Amino acid sequence: MTDVDRQIARTTDLLDRTRERTLAQRRRARGGTSLAKRAGLIAGADLAIIVATIVVGWIVPIGMGGALLAGALLVAVTLILAFARLSTPVAPERLAQVPLKALPAKTEQWLETQRPALPAPAQMLLDGIGTRLDMLSPQLATLDEQQPAAAEVRKLLGEQLPELIRGYARVPEPLRAQARNGRSPDAQLTDNLKLIDDEIREMSAQLAQGDLDSFATRGRFLEIKYRDDKAT
């Protein structure tokens, strides 16, 4: 191995470690936000019960039975909020109707529910796509829904990406690793996720540069490529 090869290997290894740390930080941040939101809901609900109990006690003596009832209600509400799902992922067929500024987050949330059914290479690509969606979200907050660029983003995130995952899921599991027309469904899924990852990166770059005219051309290319090569 030459010095150049060793340097390339070291650089690749460093990039891989950096990427893993970034993904781990994103997961911890997402989990921390969820816990903080849950704790806030529990605190608010418990405080409301306590205040209501005090107010009622000023008007009508509640006695020991009322105090026990209030305590039981506190426990029940705390347990319900502690274990309840805070938000339900949007059904894939409804992603296209999600407000544009919320579409990246809702798409990423739905993708997380699909992760266990995907092969390892596809799961790694979902991590990268999730990072790009996080970056894309604030850019879409100021994008006019009537812009052609908005339609292309919605088509990619709300239609093509979900349909790719759903198309793969329709393939019987024993057949996913078997080659068909030269490639397996697993390989087709990975290749198309790479393509979508590249498209999201290009969209983000074009939004940052204000180059909205390029969206239509890239969108048509992706539609043709995806139609000819999707995993079914």
Side-chain angles (χ1 to χ4, degrees), residues 53 56-71:
T53 302
V56 171
W58 285 342
I59 301 172
V60 179
I62 61 175
M64 182 60 70
L68 291 175
L69 180 61

Side-chain angles (χ1 to χ4, degrees), residues 145-178:
E145 289 266 8
Q146 304 305 315
Q147 286 274 2
E152 294 302 328
V153 171
R154 189 175 293 285
K155 183 188 301 181
L156 178 64
L157 302 186
E159 299 177 18
Q160 292 170 333
L161 177 54
E163 181 53 32
L164 172 63
I165 303 296
R166 295 171 71 193
Y168 174 81
R170 288 192 290 268
V171 178
E173 189 170 352
L175 302 180
R176 293 176 182 175
Q178 296 183 15

Side-chain angles (χ1 to χ4, degrees), residues 209-224:
Q209 298 167 6
D211 185 11
L212 303 183
D213 294 335
S214 300
F215 272 78
T217 301
R218 297 196 62 84
R220 284 194 292 270
F221 163 76
L222 177 64
E223 187 174 0
I224 294 170

